[in-house]
Amino acid sequence: METTGARRSLTCLLLTWGVTRLLLLLFVFKVYVFPGPDVTSDVSVIYQDWYDVLRTGTFPLDDVTWQYPPAAALAILSPALLPGLDYASAFFVLAFLADLVVLALLVYAGLRPGKRLRGAWVWVAGVPLLGPTGYARYDVMVTAVAVAALLAGSRHPRLMGALAGFGAMLKVWPALLLLGTRGRGIWAAAAVTVSGLAALFAVTMPGAFDFLTFQRDRGTEVESLGSLVFHVARHHGWGGEVLLNYGSVEFLGPWVTVVSTVALGLTGMAFGWLLLWRLLATRFEAHTTADAAFVAVLMFTTTSRVISPQYLVWLVGLAAVCLSFRASRMVVPAALVLAACFVTVLEFPLWFAHVVASDPLGVALLAVRNGLLVLATLAAARVLWRATVPKPTTALAPDQAAPAKEASASS
């Protein structure tokens, strides 16, 4: 009976994945047009322009929208692996294959002892909740690397380190996967991978690290947590404006620098909390590494000056790994992330014009989505702390110790 139930669950999982991914492919190939702005233009215009420059052996030196570590060039150049298709079509197929790789990894892990298919269900449900954006950005490829790293961690720590290092050179955030790991081998493998790739790109391709300057100069993006200040302020005479800046729609004007600085301060506080947790945590289980990575990425996403819709793909992938472990207690944070995915597709691309206009609908959608992310962050941090940090023992006062000792002696 149990085997039959598992087979039915797996069959239902695969059918759901197939149907939802067919819909995503129909949207990105424009068989059906998804409402709102065309999210595929980033691939057909921006990515393809980068592709043309990268093929010449240099990074886009004069393009401030290039804000990625050097190994991101591999993702942008990857459509060359499918020469029979145009650039955009090849990219969508590769995004689909990366999605399939994540599913395969989660299903394989979910069928092992101590694991379950619940994590695979999170992935199957979460990606389509974001609409076609999931296949129109290279974040699904980075997430595939991160999921592979976390699932390899317990049995192949050096492989996890190498994959985390490679992921960090694709889009920085996978470096946070190392937060909950123990053992020098993982960190050494990550350091060797990062150093080797950095040296290779620095020597072979000019402009490999110009992205650091472009990231530094970004402002407050209209979907970020801090942007809510300006969405409200626009209704009370704030004199700034909303413009396309550094590749995203951002607020420009009075007090923007202050809000951006506060966001950076919150990120610093998050880093401080994570460092304190790492120093005090003593109870590490098989799922702790995944839980810690989920908390860390939640914190840095929520406090960021930019919360692009594709960032939710990272969170869905990490939540899926967490819930692949039977012992993980990240159910509530994962559910909140899935709810945030649904609200995200409403604010972008469906009703993005309302967000840009800061009208009541746009502000409400952002407040709900960002509120869900804040709640998910706080809930996940609480779960991680309580599961890994021992409660402090309070010593008895001298006047309480004597009666306690006498009572123990009399018994």
Side-chain angles (χ1 to χ4, degrees):
M1 291 293 292
E2 185 175 343
T3 303
T4 303
R7 288 177 179 174
R8 287 177 179 174
S9 177
L10 181 57
T11 301
C12 185
L13 175 76
L14 296 178
L15 285 174
T16 304
W17 182 86
V19 171
T20 55
R21 273 42 181 193
L22 175 60
L23 286 173
L24 290 182
L25 288 173
L26 291 175
F27 284 133
V28 294
F29 280 104
K30 297 183 181 177
V31 177
Y32 297 108
V33 177
F34 199 83
D38 180 12
V39 301
T40 65
S41 62
D42 275 28
V43 176
S44 58
V45 178
I46 299 176
Y47 283 15
Q48 185 154 10
D49 286 348
W50 290 342
Y51 173 82
D52 292 336
V53 175
L54 290 167
R55 289 175 63 192
T56 67
T58 184
F59 285 91
L61 302 178
D62 300 322
D63 189 347
V64 296
T65 62
W66 177 262
Q67 300 167 8
Y68 309 107
L74 301 178
I76 303 302
L77 290 169
S78 63
L81 297 172
L82 302 175
L85 298 174
D86 62 87
Y87 181 86
S89 297
F91 184 91
F92 299 143
V93 170
L94 290 172
F96 168 81
L97 292 176
D99 182 0
L100 179 59
V101 167
V102 176
L103 176 70
L105 290 169
L106 291 169
V107 168
Y108 177 76
L111 296 175
R112 296 181 63 83
K115 306 282 198 335
R116 59 172 58 182
L117 289 174
R118 182 176 59 178
W121 274 110
V122 171
W123 180 254
V124 169
V127 173
L129 284 177
L130 291 168
T133 302
Y135 279 7
R137 306 290 187 273
Y138 82 92
D139 296 81
V140 67
M141 303 174 185
V142 184
T143 303
V145 175
V147 169
L150 286 173
L151 292 176
S154 58
R155 304 179 67 190
H156 306 285
R158 291 183 183 276
L159 176 59
M160 177 189 174
L163 287 172
F166 177 58
M169 292 298 285
L170 283 170
K171 209 164 187 181
V172 180
W173 68 265
L176 296 171
L177 305 183
L178 300 172
L179 182 70
T181 61
R182 294 183 297 176
R184 297 179 180 177
I186 294 179
W187 288 85
V192 169
T193 303
V194 170
S195 300
L197 287 172
L200 176 65
F201 280 107
V203 170
T204 59
M205 295 181 70
F209 295 96
D210 285 1
F211 78 97
L212 295 171
T213 300
F214 300 153
Q215 278 285 358
R216 181 195 64 196
D217 295 337
R218 295 191 75 164
T220 297
E221 189 250 352
V222 295
E223 297 166 278
S224 65
L225 184 63
S227 73
L228 288 169
V229 173
F230 300 110
H231 282 294
V232 174
R234 291 177 81 183
H235 295 277
H236 299 279
W238 179 68
E241 55 187 344
V242 178
L243 293 175
L244 183 64
N245 187 53
Y246 286 91
S248 63
V249 182
E250 298 181 352
F251 283 111
L252 300 175
W255 300 100
V256 171
T257 302
V258 174
V259 172
S260 296
T261 302
V262 171
L264 290 173
L266 289 175
T267 300
M269 292 173 63
F271 180 78
W273 186 94
L274 291 167
L275 179 60
L276 178 64
W277 168 80
R278 193 63 181 82
L279 292 172
L280 297 179
T282 58
R283 297 193 295 264
F284 285 79
E285 300 181 50
H287 58 87
T288 301
T289 298
D291 289 353
F294 183 41
V295 171
V297 176
L298 265 172
M299 285 185 167
F300 281 88
T301 299
T302 304
T303 61
S304 175
R305 294 172 294 171
V306 179
I307 305 181
S308 296
Q310 62 267 25
Y311 292 8
L312 276 293
V313 176
W314 318 341
L315 299 177
V316 171
L318 297 181
V321 176
C322 290
L323 294 196
S324 293
F325 292 89
R326 289 184 179 274
S328 177
R329 295 186 174 91
M330 291 292 175
V331 176
V332 171
L336 290 169
V337 166
L338 291 179
C341 289
F342 174 69
V343 182
T344 296
V345 80
L346 296 180
E347 63 91 0
F348 183 88
L350 195 57
W351 288 320
F352 191 59
H354 295 276
V355 173
V356 174
S358 300
D359 66 18
L361 176 59
V363 175
L365 287 172
L366 277 184
V368 172
R369 195 283 300 273
N370 291 343
L372 287 168
L373 290 179
V374 170
L375 288 175
T377 302
L378 295 175
R382 182 174 181 268
V383 169
L384 179 66
W385 187 277
R386 295 185 67 179
T388 57
V389 177
K391 294 181 180 179
T393 55
T394 55
L396 291 175
D399 57 341
Q400 296 174 317
K405 186 175 181 180
E406 293 174 3
S408 177
S410 62
S411 62

